[in-house]
Every structure is written in C-alpha cells, then in structure tokens.
Amino acid sequence: MFDFTAKTAIVTGAASGIGTAVAEELALSGAFVIVSDLDRAACDKVTAEIMDRGGKAASFAADVANPEAMQALADFAEAETGALHLAVNNAGIGGAQAPTGDYPLEAWHQVINVNLNGVFYGMRAQIRAMERAGGGAIVNMSSILGSVGFANSSAYVASKHALQGLTKTAAMEYAQKGIRINAVGPAFIATPLLTNNLTQEMLDGLAGLHPMGRIGTVAEVSGLTLFLLSDRASFITGSYHLVDGGYTAP
Ligand code: NAP
C-alpha cells in the first residue's frame, strides 16, 4: 500500500509483537530496515525472515535505555545505507503492577528509563541523522494509556503520557526542517507483552473494555504506523493517533 523504496528505517523493539509487524511491513514496502532489540539472536531471526521474503534488513542489538547505544544505532543505519529517513521508537515494557503508594522505586525508574528516556535517546540521535538526510519521519509508540489512566500502572501511564509532550515539542522544533514526528496510541493488542503475562480469562476481560468487543492485532497498529511514516501523511506532525477499537470513546 505504501512505497518506502530507497528509505532506511530504524525499528526498536523489533524482535517481538508490534515492532516485528512494523519492521516486516516496512521492509516489504521497500525500506531497508534496521531491526533493533535487546537480544541479537532475536533480531537476526526477524532479519532473516524479512530477507527470506525478499526484503532488505540488518540487525543491531541495542538497549534503548542506553544513550550511547541509541547513537550507535543511528550511526549504524547511516553507515550501512548512507542515510536515515524513518524511525519507529517502539520498544517498551509494562513494568510492575502496584498502586502508586506502593509502587517499587526500582520498577518506576526502569519503566521511565525504557519507555520515556529510551524514546528521547532514540530521537536525539535519529533527528540529527535525518537532518543530514534532508528530512524524515518518526513514530513514537505510545498507548491509549498516554491519554487515560489505568490503575496499578502509574509508571507505564506516566511514561506514555510524557511521550505526547516529547512528540509535540520535537515536532514543532523540526516541522520546517522536513522531519515529521507523531505518536501512535494502541489499545490492548495481542502480542507477547499481553499473551505471555495474562490468562485467557484476563484477556477476555480486557476485550470487553473495547466497544468493538475484542483486542487489536499487530497489523492494525502497523497499518497506522506506516501511514504516518509515509508521504500520504505529509501534513501530519505533532499529533497522537489512536488505534483503539473505541476504548477511549466513552
Ligand atoms: P513486546 O511483544 O513485549 O515487544 C517489545 C520488544 O521490545 C521486546 O522484544 C522486548 O525485548 C523489547 N525491549 C524491551 N526493553 C527493551 C530495551 N530496553 N531496549 C530495546 N528493546 C527492548 O511488546 P508489544 O506489545 O509489541 O509492545 C510494543 C510497544 O507497543 C511498547 O512500547 C508498548 O508499550 C506499546 N503498546 C503495546 C500494547 C499492547 O497491548 N501490546 C498496547 C499499547 C501500547 P524482551 O522481550 O527481551 O524484553
């Protein structure tokens, strides 16, 4: 549906769930995708699958919570292909479940480090590379919990709300430099983040929170993400786009 021929894209958290779907769809739409995640072997598996299907990809293991690693990732994309045009800052963790008064400090810092600081470190390096490329587009993976609360998840909710401010501010700063920056807010999506941690009964309960009566699919998130990265979204920047089956409508 979209043509990303001759574009280079970074996708973080690309070895699982939404990130894998975005990386695969970008590569099958012509982009050279840098598949990045914590574990090198997991990156290599996705990279091999993309290449088996005729796409272009390379692996780069990096912890988004490490600013030097995020700089090295952007440098790798440029060195490998000559320029960086697209980035999806998707890596994220759920963190501990506890009421705010009991929320463990270590878990708070871990979630903020990955979900918020990780996106800042990523954008900081990606924006400079995109300026050298003459423009680009970034999507930051937020959540419905970037606009509404969710009990026992204060760190996650705070980190995802903060992404909206970061996205809007950076979008204003680079709007006239040809770099568009948006955020995506999925509701509950069937990925290992959910399916590895919840029983079927809990998943059914979550489905009932969505007016559409189901949780979403990774393809439904990657479709919106690719649209925002594409030239079809050329007048869209600094905004937060929900893909939520009506979760936030009531
Ligand atoms: P997922 O299946 O758990 O995939 C996330 C990937 O990110 C995993 O491969 C994970 O590696 C990796 N990762 C974790 N910490 C990292 C770090 N510090 N540096 C680099 N990579 C790291 O999760 P998902 O459901 O696809 O979620 C992707 C994004 O969508 C997240 O930002 C999440 O908050 C957001 N989101 C998800 C949902 C949902 O319902 N699934 C809803 C709204 C928003 P390990 O497996 O090794 O930890």
Side-chain angles (χ1 to χ4, degrees):
M1 193 184 289
F2 302 108
D3 183 7
F4 293 104
T5 304
K7 303 286 188 195
T8 298
I10 285 171
V11 182
T12 67
S16 178
I18 293 168
T20 299
V22 169
E24 289 181 349
E25 200 173 337
L26 272 172
L28 296 179
S29 305
F32 189 117
V33 178
I34 312 297
V35 174
S36 186
D37 208 296
L38 286 172
D39 181 57
R40 174 65 195 235
C43 294
D44 285 346
K45 189 163 174 282
V46 175
T47 295
E49 280 164 11
I50 288 173
M51 292 173 76
D52 282 350
R53 295 168 72 185
K56 296 189 285 286
S59 302
F60 193 92
D63 180 349
V64 297
N66 177 339
E68 287 82 29
M70 286 298 93
Q71 185 61 56
L73 171 59
D75 291 346
F76 176 78
E78 278 188 307
E80 196 75 3
T81 67
L84 174 66
H85 311 95
L86 309 168
V88 181
N89 292 305
N90 164 78
I93 56 174
Q97 295 276 305
T100 304
D102 298 321
Y103 205 86
L105 285 179
E106 195 184 330
W108 172 273
H109 291 303
Q110 189 192 11
V111 171
I112 298 296
N113 267 335
V114 175
N115 292 8
L116 174 58
N117 295 347
V119 174
F120 167 65
Y121 300 146
M123 284 176 56
R124 193 167 171 273
Q126 293 151 11
I127 284 169
R128 293 194 295 239
M130 288 178 190
E131 284 188 286
R132 287 190 286 276
I138 296 174
V139 168
N140 295 325
M141 198 57 66
S142 179
S143 165
I144 43 168
L145 304 185
S147 59
V148 295
F150 198 76
N152 299 317
S153 296
S154 53
Y156 186 86
V157 171
S159 70
K160 295 299 187 180
H161 273 67
L163 286 187
Q164 265 65 275
L166 180 60
T167 299
K168 288 179 193 172
T169 300
M172 289 167 66
E173 292 162 351
Y174 295 95
Q176 296 194 17
K177 294 182 176 169
I179 303 174
R180 295 183 301 100
I181 306 171
N182 290 290
V184 162
F188 290 96
I189 307 297
T191 72
L193 188 74
L194 289 193
T195 50
N196 287 351
N197 297 313
L198 303 179
T199 63
Q200 190 56 47
E201 194 183 1
M202 291 159 93
L203 289 171
D204 291 344
L206 285 178
L209 299 175
H210 304 70
M212 290 180 92
R214 64 173 177 87
I215 59 176
T217 67
V218 292
E220 288 169 326
V221 181
S222 64
L224 173 60
T225 304
L226 263 74
F227 167 72
L228 290 170
L229 293 173
S230 79
D231 290 341
R232 299 297 301 273
S234 53
F235 199 51
I236 302 178
T237 198
S239 46
Y240 166 59
H241 300 265
L242 295 163
V243 47
D244 75 350
Y247 185 103
T248 56

